[in-house]
Amino acid sequence: MPRLSQWLIRAALVYLLLGFTIGALMLTNKGIPLHPLLWSWLPAHIEFLLIGWIVQLTMGVAFWILPRYWKRPRRPNEIYIQIAFVLLNLGIWLVVAGTTFRAGAWALFAGRAAEIGAVVFFALHGWPRIVSRDGA
């Protein structure tokens, strides 16, 4: 497994842990009221699980599984995946800051733009690797 896939999958598992922890706190808060502001963490819970865990895990596995070229370099332009990794994680935290901590609409907009940028860079890397084996 490529090192970059390992980083993407490990980061996804961290987001899974964060999302489950926040979800458990909110669920506990339903039965035993801990603090009324815990419900303001719902957008962070959703962002961590949907984007942080599912999208990042998918990107890590797809980078690993997408066909490699037969000749060296086997996975060219890995810089695109590195940029996508940074943009996705930056976007997640900006969206969380914009929704949970009320950092402002600019943080939410910048976060979503960074996440879209991550998808674009991932597509730039993956698109040329989607080829048929028979050359047709």
Side-chain angles (χ1 to χ4, degrees):
M1 179 181 288
R3 178 74 57 194
L4 212 42
S5 282
Q6 293 175 7
W7 278 103
L8 283 160
I9 292 170
R10 286 177 182 159
L13 292 175
V14 168
Y15 283 116
L16 176 67
L17 180 66
L18 285 171
F20 275 10
T21 303
I22 293 170
L25 284 172
M26 289 189 310
L27 188 60
T28 303
N29 191 46
K30 277 182 116 172
I32 305 167
L34 302 172
H35 198 280
L37 287 179
L38 269 175
W39 285 105
S40 66
W41 281 83
L42 181 63
H45 169 68
I46 295 168
E47 187 74 15
F48 286 157
L49 289 178
L50 287 181
I51 307 297
W53 176 47
I54 294 175
V55 171
Q56 195 147 239
L57 181 69
T58 304
M59 286 173 61
V61 172
F63 176 67
W64 176 34
I65 289 178
L66 277 176
R68 295 177 299 271
Y69 294 122
W70 293 106
K71 297 178 183 174
R72 300 269 178 205
R74 304 283 292 211
R75 289 182 176 90
N77 298 328
E78 285 190 12
I79 189 72
Y80 288 158
I81 298 296
Q82 293 169 353
I83 293 170
F85 177 71
V86 170
L87 283 177
L88 185 67
N89 287 292
L90 177 68
I92 290 168
W93 288 103
L94 283 172
V95 169
V96 167
T99 57
T100 305
F101 301 117
R102 310 282 190 249
W106 69 269
L108 183 62
F109 178 76
R112 293 294 182 214
E115 290 171 354
I116 291 170
V119 170
V120 168
F121 275 102
F122 185 81
L124 285 173
H125 172 79
W127 192 264
R129 290 173 57 188
I130 302 172
V131 295
S132 65
R133 291 204 184 255
D134 61 359

